[in-house]
Amino acid sequence: MVILVSREGERPGLRERKKQETRIALSWAAIRLAVERGLENVRVEDIAAEARVAPRTFNNYFSSKGEAIAARHLDRARLIAEELRRRPASEPLWEAIKIAVVTQLAMGEEYDAGQPDQQWQTGVRLMISEPSLQGEMLKANAIAEDELAAAIAERTGTDVARDLYPRLVAGAAGAAIRVAMDQWLRADPPVPVRPLIEDALDRLAAGLPEP
Amino acid sequence: MVILVSREGERPGLRERKKQETRIALSWAAIRLAVERGLENVRVEDIAAEARVAPRTFNNYFSSKGEAIAARHLDRARLIAEELRRRPASEPLWEAIKIAVVTQLAMGEEYDAGQPDQQWQTGVRLMISEPSLQGEMLKANAIAEDELAAAIAERTGTDVARDLYPRLVAGAAGAAIRVAMDQWLRADPPVPVRPLIEDALDRLAAGLPEP
DNA sequence: CGCAAAGATGCGTGAGACGTAAATTTGCGC
DNA sequence: GCGCAAATTTACGTCTCACGCATCTTTGCG
């Protein structure tokens, strides 16, 4: 995956900031170009050019076009775990998860009430439509799910390594989010995402009773 | 993915049978070699040689080494949906799912009571350990999950395209299976899988209450 | 027994992933 | 400010791949 290790407690020096900017620039460039001309008509070289870096540099950040494209989604998905950690401990777990997910979705929200930002949506649609990118999206989801599991373990005082519980909840929540998202993207007269997400998570918490 | 379309209602002529055999031979060869010398030291050429086919033929079956390795797991995972369809309609859904999963796991069972067959286990371990294969395993799981969703929709009279329900259940069940499996593979004094799977699925059906 | 279709091969090409070493830039202490 | 050591970016070269296309073989069937 990433070669340039961004050690955690790194203070935001010019160096780190620039690295992050390059990473994001490469990622958006990859998405933009892939949407414009189709993934197969985009060479790594093009992406690098678009981001004003040397071709070889692309591979210092990502090990494939797919990874670059999924990076934006990954960063976004990670925020869910981060947000969950911020929720007060008094909140019931499922409630906290629901809020964390919805909050994260609302992040880049624009004019259109309740609709996540356009660019991210474009990226997700791209990943869903191009078969060769589906694997990358799944990988991103898996990574985000791991972080979510860690956050859940922390919050519930369970152990990610020993207990099934945190990973089970994270996995189920991840599945719910994926399904809701998918439904949302397919919806032909467009519908708001939030209700879908909430419905999916509520059903999970209810033990998935037959409808 | 696969180029050679195996049309469904195909009767098992010599042709089809041989194709299937080649596919499986390539897949096992890939796994065996990867386990023996490490994935990076296995060239497509080697796998083809091991399966007694021309190098070019490998790519007629799989589009990458990873796909070949995941194929065995995929075929196995698909059986769950197939088994679910065989369960009597009178059985409660979760019960049926549990049985379908356990039955499938028991398939290649050997001497050691309750432990799935060695080769498959080896393959799964390989996919978990090699980062570059994790994506392939996730893809396989996703495909199997789709089929499971279809089977669930059929059984519950819901619609995969319109209702969240079938995909939600399939996704949650898939997550439960993954988590249980993972726990099982990590367990240091080895433990039987079945209880883990059943525990995970039971918790799902119970709404994942905090422990 | 013979033909049409399906599959297996061979060959050639365009890309990609990545090791390595040289060139550049940044962070910092003096 | 200045200069050096560490972190990054680049340039190059190499090794595999994935896959299109043309051709040779094998299989299924009348």
Side-chain angles (χ1 to χ4, degrees), chain A residues 81-95:
Chain A
E82 213 171 283
E83 182 63 30
L84 180 60
R85 287 180 206 276
R86 272 198 284 277
R87 303 307 310 170
S90 60
E91 237 165 33
L93 179 62
W94 285 107
E95 187 63 17

Side-chain angles (χ1 to χ4, degrees), chain B residues 6 10 17-18 22-23 28 47 88 94 108 119 128 136-137 145 149 172 180 187:
Chain B
S6 283
E10 206 124 23
R17 188 165 36 236
K18 261 211 160 176
T22 301
R23 182 185 171 76
W28 280 130
I47 301 172
W94 284 107
Q119 292 202 289
I128 286 180
E136 292 298 333
M137 185 159 63
E145 232 165 70

Side-chain angles (χ1 to χ4, degrees), chain B residues 37-171:
Chain B
R37 27 172 137 150
L39 186 60
E40 39 254 86
N41 302 314
V42 180
R43 285 178 311 243
V44 167
E45 185 193 342
D46 303 326
I47 301 172
E50 186 86 356
R52 321 290 171 90
V53 294
R56 180 64 180 84
T57 299
F58 175 88
N59 280 298
N60 284 346
Y61 286 88
F62 304 106
S63 62
S64 71
K65 276 186 290 184
E67 196 176 280
I69 290 175
R72 240 74 293 305
H73 174 62
L74 173 58
D75 286 355
R76 208 134 205 262
R78 279 188 209 269
L79 296 180
I80 296 176
E82 212 171 284
E83 182 63 31
L84 180 59
R85 287 181 207 276
R86 271 198 283 276
R87 302 306 310 169
S90 60
E91 235 164 34
L93 179 61
W94 284 107
E95 187 62 18
I97 291 178
K98 221 158 51 171
I99 296 177
V101 175
V102 167
T103 301
Q104 180 277 138
L105 276 177
M107 280 262 316
E109 221 167 75
E110 308 191 341
Y111 47 87
D112 201 349
Q115 296 306 319
D117 80 272
Q118 203 55 45
Q119 292 202 289
W120 168 75
Q121 198 184 135
T122 303
V124 174
R125 279 185 196 284
L126 174 63
M127 291 190 284
I128 286 180
S129 63
E130 291 273 359
S132 67
L133 291 178
Q134 286 171 18
E136 292 298 333
M137 185 159 63
L138 293 174
K139 265 200 277 187
N141 289 335
I143 291 172
E145 232 165 70
D146 280 352
E147 297 186 6
L148 184 58
I152 291 172
E154 225 175 80
R155 171 179 261 267
T156 60
T158 52
D159 180 352
V160 197
R162 303 188 54 76
D163 307 315
L164 289 180
Y165 185 73
R167 279 179 293 158
L168 209 42
V169 174

